[in-house]
């Protein structure tokens, strides 16, 4: 570049370089000062994380102001805009300052850094080392690990565990909220056996259940089963309903799908024969007839061509095909109560009680006016000591939203504000979120403390559910120390707004341990922070953790439809590809989880050639080889001997 030293263009450019230089020096001084002031905190950090913790503090100081105007000026000058500074903050600023010093001749002495400066390659190396320590070695050709949540059947199905490991699972996740220590032991035994057979290694990750804030029970509704044949659009029967009769004293599951399974007297059942008719009067006082179509040792199959409602005690009368045998009767012994629910619409009032008495739907008078609002209990009633009027409340993974109108000694009044247009049903044992309330729930429940002895003895990694504050992490660390055995790595599950806001402090506390990580538990987190903000929250967590060189697990509903139904949505594929920004992606259980693992492995391998964290990788772009203009240009070069 040729410039005239006396020209106004040179002077204005040089002035711009000087201004940017001075602004960056101020920022750098603040970063160094932050590190010096934090020396007592850094002294508590594990030696393997101390430089990473210092880099995290530098990053937090850097992001304490809006850098966008400075970034625009840096980019206009052809300099780094600091957009990839996460893993090496001070080195990035120093590199820009060095260029500016050469351009301006300003050799202002910079403040001495407060410790070792992590350069570009060291930042990436530390993240790789910490990831391998937490999650094990990466698969060839795929840097992002795959974690799979074990279904209950994994305790008794060695082949499932074997094939998951074969397809590419590097981390087996066991959710302590389900099954028990005996089942967990069998799952781990299957994994160790599969490791030997395949010559592979896999980490065992155990997730503590944590405090589960859920809706209480509901009153049972009438025990009735509706038996309905399949009909075409004209109402004509195209397939009869299938009923499985089994002895009440020896329950036997139906050997094939059934529309109803009914327990009856064993002696009566033994006398049934193919071709017999079973006559009855159903709960609507309608006469109905079933035809017996098959009898085996375990029970009998019958078919029905008309819709029938059966309740406990319904009388069944056997009539032989010839009508010559004596008529025998019995009664249906048991019909399971139907699950109750509360149908809620915007504007409805819901009473959330502090007891575990069964809730019930609202009651209206003959004119449609509400006499008694719907009510339901709460699994942890003490949370309402921390709730205030005007705060939001969500139910069932954000399907139903409301506002707390009044907090009383025995109940909380909620006004429903958001549901689907047709309303939404709230059932028992559904999640409750209070994103605006400062809840004082302990992260470790009594059940967690009981499970922790097994976890510490068998797991490589322990996940702390609903981690909300630094003291939660300290409590887990103290409990692991008290057990005085193996010390599994710690993963913080970020699934509340409070946990997200306190992530830096929790990370610096977790980094006192020799190995740690973070899971973005996107289900509850989306409800807590707002679905529209979820993408932004994910990014911030990824940035913070990269600055700390701490691996991230991308979790919840990844390829969910594929795992459960066998066919993914387009949005799921895109979401799974975005998971490549993390160090591990977690799949949940489902009938098609093997297919989901194979698909995820394929996606992650493809994305590795295109993306590394936020940085695009400029692999050969295939579209460029199909461009007519490029082909013409290449041909022109060939003609000129190029």
């Amino acid at each position: 570049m040729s410039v005239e030293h006396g020209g106004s263009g040179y002077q204005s450019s040089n002035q711009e370089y000087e201004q940017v230089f001075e602004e960056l020096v101020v920022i750098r001084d603040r970063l160094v000062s932050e590190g010096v002031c934090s020396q007592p905190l850094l002294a508590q950090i594990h030696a393997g994380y101390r430089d990473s913790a210092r880099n995290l503090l530098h990053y937090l100081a850097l992001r304490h102001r809006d850098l966008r105007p400075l970034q625009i000026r840096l980019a206009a000058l052809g300099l780094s805009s600091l957009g990839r500074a996460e893993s090496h903050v001070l080195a990035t600023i120093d590199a820009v300052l060095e260029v500016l010093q050469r351009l301006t001749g300003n050799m202002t002495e910079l403040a001495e850094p407060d410790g070792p400066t992590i350069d570009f390659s060291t930042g990436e190396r530390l993240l790789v080392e910490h990831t391998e320590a937490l999650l094990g070695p990466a698969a060839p050709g795929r840097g992002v690990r795959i974690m799979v949540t074990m279904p209950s059947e994994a305790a008794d199905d060695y082949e499932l565990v074997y094939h998951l490991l074969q397809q590419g699972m590097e981390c087996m996740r066991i959710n302590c909220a389900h099954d028990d220590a005996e089942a967990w032991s069998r799952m781990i035994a299957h994994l160790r056996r599969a490791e030997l057979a395949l010559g592979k290694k896999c980490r065992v990750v155990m997730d503590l259940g944590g405090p589960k804030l859920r809706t209480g029970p509901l009153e049972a509704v009438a025990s009735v089963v509706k038996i309905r044949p399949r009909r075409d659009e004209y109402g004509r029967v195209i397939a009869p309903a299938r009923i499985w009769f089994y002895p009440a004293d020896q329950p036997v599951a139906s050997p094939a799908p059934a529309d109803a399974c009914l327990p009856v007297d064993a002696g009566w059942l033994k006398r049934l024969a193919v071709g017999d008719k079973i006559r009855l009067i159903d709960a609507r006082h309608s006469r109905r007839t079933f035809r017996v179509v098959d009898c085996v040792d375990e029970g009998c199959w019958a078919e029905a061509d008309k819709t029938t409602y059966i309740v406990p005690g319904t009388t069944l009368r056997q009539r032989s095909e010839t009508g010559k045998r004596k008529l025998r009767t019995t009664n249906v012994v048991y019909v399971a109560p139907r699950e109750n629910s509360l149908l809620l619409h915007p504007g409805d009032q819901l009473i959330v009680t502090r007891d575990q008495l069964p809730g019930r739907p609202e009651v209206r008078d003959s004119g449609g006016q509400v006499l008694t609002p719907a009510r339901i209990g709460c699994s942890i009633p003490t949370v309402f000591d921390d709730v205030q009027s005007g705060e939001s409340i969500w139910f069932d993974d954000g399907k139903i939203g409301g506002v707390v109108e009044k907090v009383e000694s025995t109940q909380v009044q909620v006004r429903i504000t958001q549901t689907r247009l047709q309303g939404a049903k709230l059932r028992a044992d559904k999640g409750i979120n209070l994103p605006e309330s400062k809840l004082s729930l302990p992260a470790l429940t009594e059940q967690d403390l009981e499970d922790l002895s097994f976890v510490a003895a068998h797991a490589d990694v322990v996940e702390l559910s609903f981690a909300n504050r630094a003291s939660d992490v300290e409590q887990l660390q103290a409990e692991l120390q008290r057990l005085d055995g193996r010390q599994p790595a710690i993963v913080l599950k970020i699934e509340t707004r409070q946990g997200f806001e306190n992530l830096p402090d929790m990370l610096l506390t977790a980094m006192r341990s020799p190995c740690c990580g973070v899971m973005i538990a996107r289900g509850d987190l989306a409800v807590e922070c707002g679905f529209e903000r979820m993408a932004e929250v994910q990014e911030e967590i990824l940035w913070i953790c990269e600055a700390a060189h701490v691996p991230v697990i991308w979790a919840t509903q990844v390829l969910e439809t594929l795992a459960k139904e066998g066919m993914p949505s387009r949005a799921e594929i895109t979401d799974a590809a975005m998971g490549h920004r993390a160090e591990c992606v977690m799949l949940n259980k489902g009938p098609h989880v093997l297919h989901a693992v194979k698909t995820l492995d394929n996606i992650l391998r493809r994305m590795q050639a295109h993306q590394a964290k936020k940085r695009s990788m400029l692999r050969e772009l295939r579209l460029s080889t199909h461009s007519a203009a490029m082909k013409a240009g290449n041909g022109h070069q060939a003609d000129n001997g190029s």
Side-chain angles (χ1 to χ4, degrees), residues 422-463:
Q422 66 272 30
K425 290 182 178 180
L426 179 61
R427 294 183 167 84
D429 199 36
K430 296 299 179 182
I432 302 176
N433 292 89
L434 293 156
E436 296 168 9
S437 307
K438 298 298 182 185
L439 303 181
S440 54
L441 286 174
L444 296 176
T445 66
E446 290 183 12
Q447 185 62 54
D448 293 334
L449 295 174
E450 185 178 323
D451 294 339
L452 199 54
S453 58
F454 180 96
V455 172
H458 297 88
D460 301 298
V461 179
V462 55
E463 292 180 345

Side-chain angles (χ1 to χ4, degrees), residues 347-379:
D348 287 351
Q349 188 181 60
L350 173 66
I351 304 298
V352 184
T353 63
R354 292 181 184 243
D355 54 44
Q356 285 293 296
L357 294 175
R360 61 175 188 171
E362 67 180 12
V363 177
R364 294 178 179 265
D365 63 18
S366 56
Q369 297 299 308
V370 175
L371 294 173
T372 308
R375 58 196 304 115
I376 197 166
C378 173
S379 61

Side-chain angles (χ1 to χ4, degrees), residues 10 40 42 61 103 162 224 231 286 409-411 447 467 514 538 603 615 634:
Y10 173 79
L42 291 171
L103 289 170
Y162 175 91
V224 60
R231 301 178 184 272
S286 298
S409 59
T410 60
Q411 62 186 32
Q447 185 62 54
Q538 287 178 167
I603 291 169
R615 184 172 68 247
N634 290 337

Side-chain angles (χ1 to χ4, degrees), residues 210-226:
K212 299 293 185 185
L213 186 56
R214 310 187 81 81
T215 54
L218 289 167
E219 289 179 348
V221 292
S223 299
V224 60
V225 60
K226 182 179 181 180

Side-chain angles (χ1 to χ4, degrees), residues 208-400:
L208 297 174
K212 299 293 185 185
L213 186 56
R214 310 187 81 81
T215 54
L218 289 167
E219 289 179 348
V221 292
S223 299
V224 60
V225 60
K226 182 179 181 180
I227 302 171
R228 180 171 51 187
R230 282 200 299 130
R231 301 178 184 272
D232 63 15
E233 57 269 28
Y234 299 104
R236 295 174 299 205
V237 173
I238 56 176
R242 306 202 303 177
I243 306 102
W244 170 249
F245 289 103
Y246 62 90
D249 57 348
Q250 291 183 329
V252 179
S254 60
D259 295 293
C261 298
L262 301 177
V264 293
D265 177 72
W268 181 87
L269 188 61
K270 281 188 174 295
R271 293 185 177 90
L272 287 180
V274 174
D276 284 358
K277 290 182 172 58
I278 300 172
R279 301 188 187 278
L280 62 112
I281 297 176
D282 77 354
R284 297 182 304 168
H285 305 292
S286 298
R287 295 180 181 276
R288 293 290 184 257
T289 300
F290 298 161
R291 298 182 308 278
V292 178
V293 294
D294 190 25
C295 292
V296 293
D297 291 340
E298 296 83 9
C300 291
W301 284 102
E303 291 182 345
D305 292 327
K306 293 184 178 181
T307 300
T308 307
Y309 291 81
I310 301 290
V311 296
T314 298
T315 300
L316 307 176
R317 293 177 174 83
Q318 173 200 12
R319 185 176 295 277
S320 68
E321 189 174 17
T322 62
K324 294 180 180 179
R325 271 184 283 156
K326 183 180 177 182
L327 188 68
R328 294 184 174 88
T329 64
T330 191
N331 298 100
V332 174
V333 175
Y334 173 78
V335 173
R338 289 187 296 116
E339 183 184 21
N340 205 349
S341 63
L342 310 180
L343 181 60
L344 300 171
H345 298 85
D348 287 351
Q349 188 181 60
L350 173 66
I351 304 298
V352 184
T353 63
R354 292 181 184 243
D355 54 44
Q356 285 293 296
L357 294 175
R360 61 175 188 171
E362 67 180 12
V363 177
R364 294 178 179 265
D365 63 18
S366 56
Q369 297 299 308
V370 175
L371 294 173
T372 308
R375 58 196 304 115
I376 197 166
C378 173
S379 61
I380 311 177
T382 54
V383 297
F384 292 119
D385 295 336
D386 303 320
V387 173
Q388 297 181 17
S389 299
E391 294 177 340
S392 62
I393 183 169
W394 294 88
F395 302 92
D396 195 8
D397 293 333
K399 295 183 178 69
I400 301 170

Side-chain angles (χ1 to χ4, degrees), residues 1 3-17:
M1 179 176 69
V3 294
E4 295 293 333
H5 283 257
S8 60
Y10 173 79
Q11 290 174 347
S12 61
S13 295
N14 195 54
Q15 185 179 11
E16 181 71 11
Y17 287 136

